[in-house]
Structure formats: structure tokens, C-alpha cells
Amino acid sequence: MTERADSPDLLYSDVEEDLRASVRDLLTDRAEPSALIARTESAEPYDLKLWHTLAAELGTAGLMVPEDLGGHGGSVRETALVAEELGRSVAPVPFLGSTVLATSALLAAGPAASEVLGRLASGAVIGALAVPLTTAPGADFPSAVTVGADGALSGRVGAVADASVAEVFVVPAVGPDGPGLYTVDASAAAVTELVSLDLTRRISDVVFEGAPAARVADADTAPAALQRALTVGAGVLASEQVGITDWCLTETVAYVKERYQFGRPVGSFQALKHRLATLYLELVSARAAARYAADTLANGHEDSDVAVAVAAARCSPIALHAAEEALQLHAGIGMTWEHPIHLYLKRAKSDDVALGTAGRHRARLGGLVDLPA
Amino acid sequence: MSAPTADDLRARVRALLAENDPKTVARLDFLRARFDAGLAWVHFPAGLGGLDAPRSLQSVVDAELAEAGAPDNSPRQIVIGLGMAAPTILRFGTPEHHRRYLRPLWTGEEVWCQLFSEPGAGSDLAALGTKAVRDGNGGTPANGGVAGGGDWVVTGQKVWTSGAHLARFAILVTRTDPDVPKHQGMTYFVCDMSAPGVEVRPLRQITGEAEFNEVFLSEVRIPDSQRLGAVGEGWKVAQTTLMNERVAIGGTPMPREGGLLGPVAEAWREHPERRTPELHDRLLKLWVEAETLGLASSRLRQQLTAGQPGPEGSVMKLAFAELNQALSGLEVELHAEQGLVYDDWTMRRPVHIDFAARGPGYRYLRAKGNSIEGGTSEVLRNIVAERVLGLPSEPRVDKDVAWKDLPK
Ligand SMILES: Cc1cc2nc3c(=O)[nH]c(=O)nc-3n(C[C@H](O)[C@H](O)[C@H](O)COP(=O)(O)OP(=O)(O)OC[C@H]3O[C@@H](n4cnc5c(N)ncnc54)[C@H](O)[C@@H]3O)c2cc1C
């Protein structure tokens, strides 16, 4: 049996709290729920101006990237904290695709990736990792894209997160030399945005037909780099799910205190109080699991695979439960398009299958902690 | 004077060990010396077994002493004394109470029990009816017919009292004024379990053993000097006890695969022939839950360290109760036909509760008490909903009615 990391820091540091305050202020001003709903139906479902402020001016895009590579020299901990705030707001920005998935793949790829990495870290360029968003840590290296004799890429990848706004793709592909990681300019790919269940994080089909590509990781490093990206992705997604849970619980508690039926606030009925107490317990659990995952990823602790599997397996069902309860307890108004709960439900349900379902993470965990099937 | 740091405490542990070699000094003498050195519960005041240090530094002391092979005070065996009686005595007791009770309580020389629940008052503790009246020697009508310092005479019945058969003292809540609403007419005492009129009868429970008891109190005399808090303020004092109880039960961080998960994981590894996909997924769900709760407890402890007391205490107790029940249920199934066997139904009166020393059937049955003892899970959910989330309470029918007029 593996051991937990010694005395992990499961709290938020003062610096992290400062970062949270700036991100939250920005999102409160610029990602107000009714505006988000209107945007989902507009020609520009992503808010790239907001993204620019968040990524470049607040520097969140480069949190995981060392300073000498153009980043801010933080860690997965701060990145996860930003994800938590973004989960609380479901702001339509390409944080997961660019800052988390593409950036962590490039960080693990090696020196050839430095230049692109610097551009992503500064927020000047948006990236996306060309794998289906459902790909789980531990999955086989994808062979959907192949490398031709001329070094150009061909193939099709479905359900790529944030691809419709990406300017550069990080693509796992298999060539005569085995697996590699490549960067491809988005102008060289055919990107078709799908009608996504999640209105605030879109997915697209991406097709490469002899697309010129630069190799940033070879057969020795590419599988591990992709693995790292998926693991960091799943770990950070758990924090996003904590944010979703927190928003759903807070809004619902506020609503049931105000809504009167049968001559009393509906929140005074024990049947509802107990359900909300259960959600509170789930939030406490999810936060501890997500913080532990972020801390072990930040410190490169060997327990991070277990920590991520635990966080992913616990936080997805909790976020989904919170969103489903929020809808049920808001009842009629919760079922309307005008109330933002549906944005959270859609995000929670997509997150439930993103980067591995809870069941997949549990199955993987069984192998990691010597509890085989 | 600033609070002691971890280094100060390590130095004190070294000094304690230098003067009291655990290899040669008797266990009890060592524990007494440890108490006198302020290393028993470091957050207690100096002179009462502590050093006014942050509560979190206790783990530093415990780790150093464990490493040196020093005996501990078997905290698992004296839960009620440590977790409930001590914080209440500290807060509401007189200096004389502090001096008399805390040291033997901490060393385990004197065991405590909790005389709260009654046949008619469980979750609704404030409904209790055990009567305490003052003996009228020389009192005046103005002070209730009582001279200061007179004895109280207590009559009533308590039930489900854990460890009453071992206890030297009890914390006891009584009704001293039936004419006012229930929360206002209660008074809290320390009861000497060897006093005439105290009768303890074993109450056998579903596991076969008698861990708890019925306690009959027949005209038990308790000196007024044994009162904790003012007359009529027993509810306030009891609240302190109950809050501490929940933290004591739920607040201990678990190592990975600690607690009831350990035997389940072991059974899984040892019996590949019993594995099914359904059991596998249930096991891993519980593994994840146990791990998460272990982390949440650690996080709670870190929050307390940083001086942000969280209300998660009640919630952790609730969570561990559910987890224990699910794990022990799974364990019985994992043992297949062996799961139909019970280890021992002999009626006995255990000295402490040891889940690890018993079989899966015992663990399954005993874990059912986890969601009842120390406040039921339903009551704890009410607490979380109202005190943590701030949801409105349900309409109360009993608030302004004198206790004697309540339906019973
Ligand atoms: C192993 C064990 C050890 C114990 N040790 C001690 C001890 O040492 N000292 C001591 O004083 N007591 C002890 N108890 C008693 C314990 O504190 C009580 O059993 C408990 O408080 C519940 O009271 P009750 O059994 O009367 O149940 P009741 O209060 O009668 O409850 C019956 C059911 O109604 C539910 N219920 C009650 N009120 C509400 C409400 N407001 N909302 C929703 N549901 C509600 C309960 O959750 C329960 O399901 C022990 C109990 C056990 C099982």
C-alpha cells in the first residue's frame, strides 16, 4: 500500500487568497450570470476579452510555467485555485484547454516546446490539447493522428475542448519513429465546433490533412508528457468541481431561505435541510481531496497519481449532485433558461465524463493501491 | 509571554524523558510526571497538565514521546473523560474542581461517564426529568428554600450510559425547576458514582456485550460544591460538553487505510476468489471516501492550527458513522460463508471498545451505534443545516411551555 504525502498543505495560503480575490473580483464584474446566458447564444460564445484580462493581465495563464520560460513560476496549487473560481463562475474562457492541458503537456515535453510554451504562458496565444476531452489518465497513447514521411500530420480528433478559439494545437501523433508530441498552427487544421452539452466550454472536431507540424517531444518523452497533462488536467478539474459545488450550495441555501411556501421558508423543512447538510459534507470532502491532489501535483510527490484518482472519483459525482440538487430545490425557476443553474448543471455533467469518469478513476485507483479487480 | 513553540515543547519532552526514563519508571508515575510537566494536553492552562500552547502542537509531543517508547494514557479508553468531562470542568469548574479532577482523569486512574440520556430524553436532552432538589437545611424562600452550600438530592433514571460500571465520577444533568420552559430549569453536577443511591445495571446490547448501562439514582446526595455552572444553567454547560463530544468523535485524522477500511482491504487482498465487479466498485468507492475523510480531518486540524475553527466537527462525526456502517457491511459480505459466523456472544462488560480485536459481525453490529451515540446523524444534520448553513429552524412547539406541562 502506498503512503500519503507527509504533512501536505491542504489550506489556501495568503498569496493564494489574494489571487482568489483578484480573480473573483474580475469574474464578478465581467462574468455576470445573465450576461453569460446571453453570450452562449451569441456569435462569440467565448469571452476572449475577459480571457485576455484573466490570462495576460492577472497572469493566470503562466502560473505553472517557470519564470525563465515566460511564466509566473507558481505551481499547480495556484492554477487549481483559479480553476475553482472559474468553476464558481462558469465563465466561458479556454483555461482548461490552454492553461491546463496544452500548457502541462508542453511543460513536460522538454526544451523544444519552450517557445510555444512562453507564448501560451503570457496569454498571447491560446492553445488546445488535441485529444478527446473524455481521455482519462492512464489511457493508451492515441493513434488517431499519424505523421507522414514529410513530417506532416493527418487524422481526426473528436471532442477537443476549447479548440474553436485555439491558435495552436498540441497534438499527440504516431509516426515511423513511434509516438510524439507536435505543435500545429490552428490555421493548418479544420476545426468544426460541435453543438456542445456544456454551453460555456465548447468542444470541436479537429481534422488535420497533411498539416505542417513541429515535433516538441519524441518517443522517449511524449507518452509521459501526455500522461502528465491528463493527470494535471484531472487534478485541476477536481478544483473546478469544488467551485461548482460551492456555487450551487451557496445559491441554493440563499434561495430556500427566501422562498416561502406553506407559510414558512422552504429552507425550514427538515427534508430539505438534511439534503443541504449532506451537500455541505460533500463540499468539505471534495475540497480536501482536490487540495491534496493539487498539493501533490505541485510538489511532484509520488502519491499524486493516487491523489488525482481519489479527487477525480470523489469530486465529479459531488459537483453533479450539487447541480442536480440546486435545480430540484429551485424547482420551476431552476428549470428555466433564464436562471443560471443550467449552465452549472451542463458544466457539471460534462465534467463528469471529462478526463475520465469517476468509475474509470476508481478502476485505475484499484491498480495503484493494490486492490485489483 | 508568548505561547510555546514546537521547539520549546520538544525541549520539555527531552527534559521529561531525562528525568523519567520510561524503561525504568512505572507507567502511572511516568504519566503523572508528564501531566505535571504540562505535556498532557498542551492547550490546557499551565498547572493543569498544559502550557497554554496551540492545540495543534499536541501531535508534536505525542510523536516525540511515542518515538521514545513512552507509555501513553490510552486516550481511546478514556474518551468520555478526555473528550467531554475535562473541557466542561475546565470551563465551568472551580479551581478546586480543576485541582481535584483533571490529573487522575488524564492519567486514567479515575474513569468518567456521562449521565445525560434518559428513557424519555435522548435527542431531546432538554426534556430530561431526573429531579434534583435542595435539602432545605436552613434555606429561605427567597433563594428557593435553600441555604448556600446545602446538598442536592437527586432521583431519576439514566440509560445507555457507557462505562458507568467502570466510572468513578459522572457528569450529570438534572431538572431543578419543572415550572419553567425545559431549557431553563436544568442544573449540571459532578456525581460521585460510589455515593449511596447510585445503582448501575448492565444493559446488554446487540453485540452481546454490555458496554452501556442503566443507572438508577435514588435520593443521591450531591454537595452543592459539586455543581458546575449556575443553578438553572445546566443547558449551557451541557452544550459545551456536546460540542466537544462531536469534535472528539469525528476530529481525529485517519491514516490511509486506517480504521475499518483496514480489515476490508486485507480481506480483499487475501481472497481473490471472492472478488466480483460489483464488490470491487463498492470497495473502491469506500476507499475513496475513507481517503477523502482522512484528508478532510487533516484539513480540519490544519484549520484549527491556523486559528480558523471550522464547524466541520459535527460533519466529520456524521461522515465517519456512515462510512463505518458501509465498510463493516461490505466486510461481512466479503467473508462469504465465514461472514455468517459470529465471534462471541458472551455477555461481558468490556473495559473499552476495540473494533480491531473483534470479528466482522461484531464490527457490523457495533458500527450501527456510530450514528446514534453522541447525537444521531439526523440531529447532526439539523446542526449543520442551522448552525453552519444558517437555515431557519422548524417551528417549535415546546419553547415557551413549562417543562411540567410538556407532553411526555
Ligand atoms: C453505543 C451507545 C452509547 C451511548 N452512550 C451514552 C452515554 O454514555 N451517555 C449518555 O447520556 N447517552 C449515551 N447514549 C445515548 C445516545 O446519546 C442517545 O441514544 C441518542 O442521543 C439518541 O437518543 P434516543 O436513543 O432516545 O433516540 P430518539 O431521540 O428517541 O430518536 C429516535 C429517532 O428519531 C430521530 N430524531 C429525534 N429527534 C429528531 C429531530 N429533531 N429531527 C429528526 N430526527 C429526529 C433520531 O435521529 C432517531 O432516528 C449512547 C447510545 C449508544 C447507541
Tab-separated table of all heavy atoms in Angstrom, chain A residues 134 159 217 230 248 352:
chain	number	residue	atom	x	y	z
A	134	THR	N	-12.742	13.428	-23.186
A	134	THR	CA	-13.051	12.272	-22.331
A	134	THR	C	-11.819	11.417	-22.007
A	134	THR	O	-11.922	10.472	-21.215
A	134	THR	CB	-14.064	11.359	-23.050
A	134	THR	OG1	-13.593	11.159	-24.384
A	134	THR	CG2	-15.442	11.977	-23.075
A	159	ALA	N	-14.234	15.947	-30.195
A	159	ALA	CA	-14.493	16.467	-28.840
A	159	ALA	C	-13.274	17.089	-28.169
A	159	ALA	O	-12.953	16.798	-27.024
A	159	ALA	CB	-15.092	15.379	-27.948
A	217	ALA	N	8.189	16.674	-28.675
A	217	ALA	CA	8.601	15.563	-27.805
A	217	ALA	C	8.665	14.309	-28.640
A	217	ALA	O	7.784	14.057	-29.473
A	217	ALA	CB	7.607	15.377	-26.661
A	230	LEU	N	-2.731	14.843	-18.757
A	230	LEU	CA	-4.038	14.291	-18.387
A	230	LEU	C	-4.177	14.229	-16.866
A	230	LEU	O	-5.260	14.471	-16.317
A	230	LEU	CB	-4.208	12.894	-18.998
A	230	LEU	CG	-4.248	12.855	-20.534
A	230	LEU	CD1	-4.179	11.407	-21.039
A	230	LEU	CD2	-5.488	13.561	-21.081
A	248	CYS	N	-23.263	26.114	-6.226
A	248	CYS	CA	-24.604	25.511	-6.185
A	248	CYS	C	-25.141	25.482	-4.757
A	248	CYS	O	-26.302	25.792	-4.509
A	248	CYS	CB	-24.570	24.087	-6.744
A	248	CYS	SG	-24.279	24.055	-8.523
A	352	ASP	N	-18.266	15.517	-15.580
A	352	ASP	CA	-18.427	14.161	-15.059
A	352	ASP	C	-17.796	13.128	-16.001
A	352	ASP	O	-17.304	12.089	-15.559
A	352	ASP	CB	-19.936	13.911	-14.914
A	352	ASP	CG	-20.265	12.664	-14.144
A	352	ASP	OD1	-19.543	12.363	-13.186
A	352	ASP	OD2	-21.263	12.008	-14.500
